[in-house]
Short mmCIF file of all heavy atoms in Angstrom, two decimals:
data_model
loop_
_atom_site.label_atom_id
_atom_site.label_comp_id
_atom_site.label_asym_id
_atom_site.label_seq_id
_atom_site.Cartn_x
_atom_site.Cartn_y
_atom_site.Cartn_z
N SER A 261 -8.42 -70.37 -24.43
CA SER A 261 -9.58 -69.49 -24.63
C SER A 261 -10.43 -69.96 -25.78
O SER A 261 -11.61 -69.97 -25.88
CB SER A 261 -9.23 -68.02 -24.75
OG SER A 261 -8.52 -67.94 -26.02
N LYS A 262 -9.77 -70.44 -26.85
CA LYS A 262 -10.37 -70.99 -28.03
C LYS A 262 -11.18 -72.25 -27.65
O LYS A 262 -12.28 -72.45 -28.15
CB LYS A 262 -9.39 -71.23 -29.17
CG LYS A 262 -8.88 -69.99 -29.83
CD LYS A 262 -7.87 -70.28 -30.97
CE LYS A 262 -7.45 -69.01 -31.62
NZ LYS A 262 -6.46 -69.21 -32.71
N ILE A 263 -10.51 -73.15 -26.91
CA ILE A 263 -11.18 -74.36 -26.47
C ILE A 263 -12.41 -74.06 -25.61
O ILE A 263 -13.56 -74.67 -25.83
CB ILE A 263 -10.20 -75.26 -25.68
CG1 ILE A 263 -9.12 -75.82 -26.64
CG2 ILE A 263 -10.91 -76.44 -25.10
CD1 ILE A 263 -7.98 -76.51 -25.91
N GLN A 264 -12.24 -73.04 -24.76
CA GLN A 264 -13.42 -72.67 -23.91
C GLN A 264 -14.52 -72.08 -24.70
O GLN A 264 -15.66 -72.19 -24.35
CB GLN A 264 -12.95 -71.75 -22.72
CG GLN A 264 -12.11 -72.50 -21.72
CD GLN A 264 -11.87 -71.69 -20.46
OE1 GLN A 264 -11.93 -70.42 -20.63
NE2 GLN A 264 -11.68 -72.26 -19.34
N LYS A 265 -14.20 -71.41 -25.68
CA LYS A 265 -15.16 -70.72 -26.59
C LYS A 265 -15.95 -71.82 -27.30
O LYS A 265 -17.27 -71.74 -27.34
CB LYS A 265 -14.55 -69.83 -27.63
CG LYS A 265 -15.58 -69.23 -28.56
CD LYS A 265 -14.83 -68.52 -29.75
CE LYS A 265 -15.93 -68.20 -30.74
NZ LYS A 265 -15.36 -67.62 -32.01
N GLU A 266 -15.31 -72.86 -27.82
CA GLU A 266 -16.02 -73.97 -28.43
C GLU A 266 -16.90 -74.69 -27.48
O GLU A 266 -18.00 -75.24 -27.86
CB GLU A 266 -15.04 -74.94 -29.03
CG GLU A 266 -14.28 -74.33 -30.25
CD GLU A 266 -13.20 -75.29 -30.72
OE1 GLU A 266 -13.04 -76.43 -30.12
OE2 GLU A 266 -12.46 -74.91 -31.66
N ALA A 267 -16.52 -74.63 -26.18
CA ALA A 267 -17.33 -75.39 -25.10
C ALA A 267 -18.36 -74.32 -24.55
O ALA A 267 -19.02 -74.72 -23.52
CB ALA A 267 -16.48 -75.92 -24.07
N ALA A 268 -18.45 -73.15 -25.10
CA ALA A 268 -19.38 -72.14 -24.64
C ALA A 268 -19.04 -71.71 -23.22
O ALA A 268 -19.89 -71.17 -22.54
CB ALA A 268 -20.81 -72.67 -24.69
N ALA A 269 -17.78 -71.86 -22.80
CA ALA A 269 -17.42 -71.48 -21.50
C ALA A 269 -16.72 -70.04 -21.55
O ALA A 269 -16.42 -69.47 -20.48
CB ALA A 269 -16.49 -72.45 -20.87
N ALA A 270 -16.45 -69.63 -22.77
CA ALA A 270 -15.88 -68.25 -22.96
C ALA A 270 -16.38 -67.62 -24.21
O ALA A 270 -17.01 -68.35 -25.00
CB ALA A 270 -14.26 -68.36 -23.04
N THR A 271 -16.17 -66.32 -24.34
CA THR A 271 -16.75 -65.61 -25.50
C THR A 271 -15.64 -65.25 -26.55
O THR A 271 -14.41 -65.47 -26.29
CB THR A 271 -17.37 -64.35 -25.04
OG1 THR A 271 -16.42 -63.48 -24.47
CG2 THR A 271 -18.49 -64.50 -24.05
N GLU A 272 -16.12 -64.79 -27.69
CA GLU A 272 -15.10 -64.37 -28.70
C GLU A 272 -14.28 -63.19 -28.25
O GLU A 272 -13.10 -62.98 -28.62
CB GLU A 272 -15.95 -63.92 -30.00
CG GLU A 272 -15.05 -63.44 -31.19
CD GLU A 272 -14.19 -64.59 -31.72
OE1 GLU A 272 -14.53 -65.70 -31.53
OE2 GLU A 272 -13.20 -64.20 -32.51
N LEU A 273 -14.81 -62.38 -27.31
CA LEU A 273 -14.04 -61.21 -26.71
C LEU A 273 -12.84 -61.79 -26.01
O LEU A 273 -11.71 -61.14 -26.17
CB LEU A 273 -14.93 -60.45 -25.79
CG LEU A 273 -14.34 -59.33 -25.07
CD1 LEU A 273 -13.88 -58.23 -26.12
CD2 LEU A 273 -15.34 -58.63 -24.09
N ALA A 274 -12.92 -62.82 -25.20
CA ALA A 274 -11.72 -63.34 -24.50
C ALA A 274 -10.70 -63.79 -25.62
O ALA A 274 -9.46 -63.51 -25.39
CB ALA A 274 -12.08 -64.55 -23.69
N VAL A 275 -11.08 -64.42 -26.67
CA VAL A 275 -10.16 -64.88 -27.68
C VAL A 275 -9.43 -63.70 -28.30
O VAL A 275 -8.17 -63.72 -28.44
CB VAL A 275 -10.87 -65.67 -28.82
CG1 VAL A 275 -9.94 -66.05 -29.90
CG2 VAL A 275 -11.50 -66.94 -28.23
N LYS A 276 -10.18 -62.62 -28.62
CA LYS A 276 -9.59 -61.48 -29.30
C LYS A 276 -8.52 -60.72 -28.29
O LYS A 276 -7.55 -60.27 -28.73
CB LYS A 276 -10.62 -60.52 -29.76
CG LYS A 276 -11.45 -61.06 -30.84
CD LYS A 276 -10.60 -61.39 -32.07
CE LYS A 276 -11.48 -62.03 -33.20
NZ LYS A 276 -10.55 -62.47 -34.39
N LYS A 277 -8.95 -60.75 -27.08
CA LYS A 277 -8.06 -60.07 -26.02
C LYS A 277 -6.73 -60.87 -25.92
O LYS A 277 -5.70 -60.20 -25.91
CB LYS A 277 -8.73 -60.09 -24.71
CG LYS A 277 -9.83 -59.02 -24.52
CD LYS A 277 -9.18 -57.63 -24.39
CE LYS A 277 -10.14 -56.52 -24.03
NZ LYS A 277 -9.52 -55.16 -23.92
N PHE A 278 -6.75 -62.14 -25.95
CA PHE A 278 -5.60 -62.94 -25.89
C PHE A 278 -4.70 -62.75 -27.14
O PHE A 278 -3.55 -62.82 -27.12
CB PHE A 278 -5.90 -64.41 -25.58
CG PHE A 278 -6.12 -64.63 -24.11
CD1 PHE A 278 -7.40 -65.04 -23.73
CD2 PHE A 278 -5.13 -64.46 -23.17
CE1 PHE A 278 -7.69 -65.31 -22.38
CE2 PHE A 278 -5.44 -64.68 -21.84
CZ PHE A 278 -6.73 -65.16 -21.45
N GLU A 279 -5.40 -62.66 -28.28
CA GLU A 279 -4.74 -62.47 -29.57
C GLU A 279 -4.02 -61.15 -29.58
O GLU A 279 -2.88 -61.09 -30.00
CB GLU A 279 -5.70 -62.56 -30.75
CG GLU A 279 -6.19 -63.94 -31.05
CD GLU A 279 -7.21 -63.89 -32.22
OE1 GLU A 279 -7.64 -62.89 -32.62
OE2 GLU A 279 -7.57 -65.03 -32.67
N ALA A 280 -4.72 -60.12 -29.11
CA ALA A 280 -4.10 -58.76 -29.02
C ALA A 280 -2.85 -58.76 -28.11
O ALA A 280 -1.82 -58.15 -28.41
CB ALA A 280 -5.09 -57.75 -28.54
N GLU A 281 -3.02 -59.47 -26.98
CA GLU A 281 -1.86 -59.48 -25.95
C GLU A 281 -0.70 -60.23 -26.62
O GLU A 281 0.53 -59.87 -26.37
CB GLU A 281 -2.30 -60.17 -24.71
CG GLU A 281 -1.35 -60.04 -23.58
CD GLU A 281 -1.20 -58.55 -23.03
OE1 GLU A 281 -2.07 -57.80 -23.37
OE2 GLU A 281 -0.26 -58.26 -22.41
N LEU A 282 -0.94 -61.33 -27.37
CA LEU A 282 0.05 -62.11 -28.02
C LEU A 282 0.86 -61.26 -29.05
O LEU A 282 2.13 -61.28 -29.14
CB LEU A 282 -0.53 -63.34 -28.74
CG LEU A 282 0.45 -64.20 -29.50
CD1 LEU A 282 1.57 -64.81 -28.61
CD2 LEU A 282 -0.27 -65.36 -30.15
N ALA A 283 0.05 -60.49 -29.87
CA ALA A 283 0.75 -59.55 -30.85
C ALA A 283 1.52 -58.52 -30.14
O ALA A 283 2.67 -58.15 -30.62
CB ALA A 283 -0.31 -58.95 -31.71
N LYS A 284 1.12 -57.99 -29.07
CA LYS A 284 1.84 -56.96 -28.28
C LYS A 284 3.15 -57.47 -27.83
O LYS A 284 4.21 -56.85 -27.86
CB LYS A 284 1.01 -56.49 -27.20
CG LYS A 284 1.65 -55.35 -26.32
CD LYS A 284 0.77 -54.87 -25.21
CE LYS A 284 1.43 -53.91 -24.35
NZ LYS A 284 0.56 -53.50 -23.15
N SER A 285 3.11 -58.77 -27.26
CA SER A 285 4.34 -59.31 -26.71
C SER A 285 5.37 -59.54 -27.81
O SER A 285 6.55 -59.41 -27.69
CB SER A 285 4.09 -60.59 -25.96
OG SER A 285 3.47 -61.57 -26.77
N LYS A 286 4.88 -59.99 -28.99
CA LYS A 286 5.77 -60.27 -30.13
C LYS A 286 6.40 -58.93 -30.67
O LYS A 286 7.58 -58.92 -31.04
CB LYS A 286 5.04 -60.97 -31.28
CG LYS A 286 4.64 -62.40 -31.01
CD LYS A 286 3.97 -62.99 -32.24
CE LYS A 286 3.74 -64.51 -31.99
NZ LYS A 286 3.01 -65.07 -33.16
N ALA A 287 5.58 -57.84 -30.69
CA ALA A 287 6.17 -56.59 -31.09
C ALA A 287 7.20 -56.09 -30.12
O ALA A 287 8.25 -55.50 -30.52
CB ALA A 287 5.04 -55.54 -31.13
N SER A 288 7.02 -56.34 -28.77
CA SER A 288 8.06 -55.90 -27.80
C SER A 288 9.27 -56.66 -27.96
O SER A 288 10.39 -56.10 -27.72
CB SER A 288 7.50 -56.16 -26.43
OG SER A 288 6.34 -55.47 -26.13
N GLU A 289 9.24 -57.88 -28.48
CA GLU A 289 10.46 -58.64 -28.70
C GLU A 289 11.38 -57.98 -29.60
O GLU A 289 12.56 -57.89 -29.60
CB GLU A 289 10.06 -60.05 -29.19
CG GLU A 289 11.24 -61.01 -29.46
CD GLU A 289 10.83 -62.37 -29.89
OE1 GLU A 289 9.67 -62.76 -29.59
OE2 GLU A 289 11.66 -62.99 -30.53
N PHE A 290 10.77 -57.45 -30.78
CA PHE A 290 11.59 -56.75 -31.82
C PHE A 290 12.21 -55.44 -31.36
O PHE A 290 13.25 -55.04 -31.74
CB PHE A 290 10.76 -56.54 -33.09
CG PHE A 290 10.35 -57.90 -33.84
CD1 PHE A 290 9.15 -58.47 -33.69
CD2 PHE A 290 11.34 -58.43 -34.65
CE1 PHE A 290 8.86 -59.65 -34.34
CE2 PHE A 290 11.11 -59.59 -35.28
CZ PHE A 290 9.82 -60.21 -35.16
N THR A 291 11.42 -54.78 -30.41
CA THR A 291 11.98 -53.61 -29.87
C THR A 291 13.24 -53.85 -29.07
O THR A 291 14.27 -53.18 -29.16
CB THR A 291 10.87 -52.87 -29.02
OG1 THR A 291 9.77 -52.62 -29.80
CG2 THR A 291 11.44 -51.62 -28.35
N ILE A 292 13.15 -54.94 -28.25
CA ILE A 292 14.30 -55.32 -27.44
C ILE A 292 15.51 -55.71 -28.37
O ILE A 292 16.64 -55.38 -28.13
CB ILE A 292 13.91 -56.33 -26.44
CG1 ILE A 292 12.98 -55.80 -25.47
CG2 ILE A 292 15.13 -56.92 -25.72
CD1 ILE A 292 12.49 -56.77 -24.36
#
């Protein structure tokens, strides 16, 4: 998503959504 943003093929919103999902998955790891 970051590469596509630089190429103007994606927006900052897509980058933030993927960052949020990554943080959520890392948090789930500690719960388990």
Side-chain angles (χ1 to χ4, degrees):
S261 66
K262 288 180 177 179
I263 293 172
Q264 288 192 332
K265 178 193 170 186
E266 293 176 358
T271 63
E272 180 68 17
L273 180 60
V275 174
K276 293 303 179 185
K277 281 287 186 180
F278 280 115
E279 286 179 350
E281 193 67 18
L282 178 60
K284 180 181 177 182
S285 63
K286 286 182 177 179
S288 299
E289 180 179 338
F290 289 102
T291 300
I292 294 177

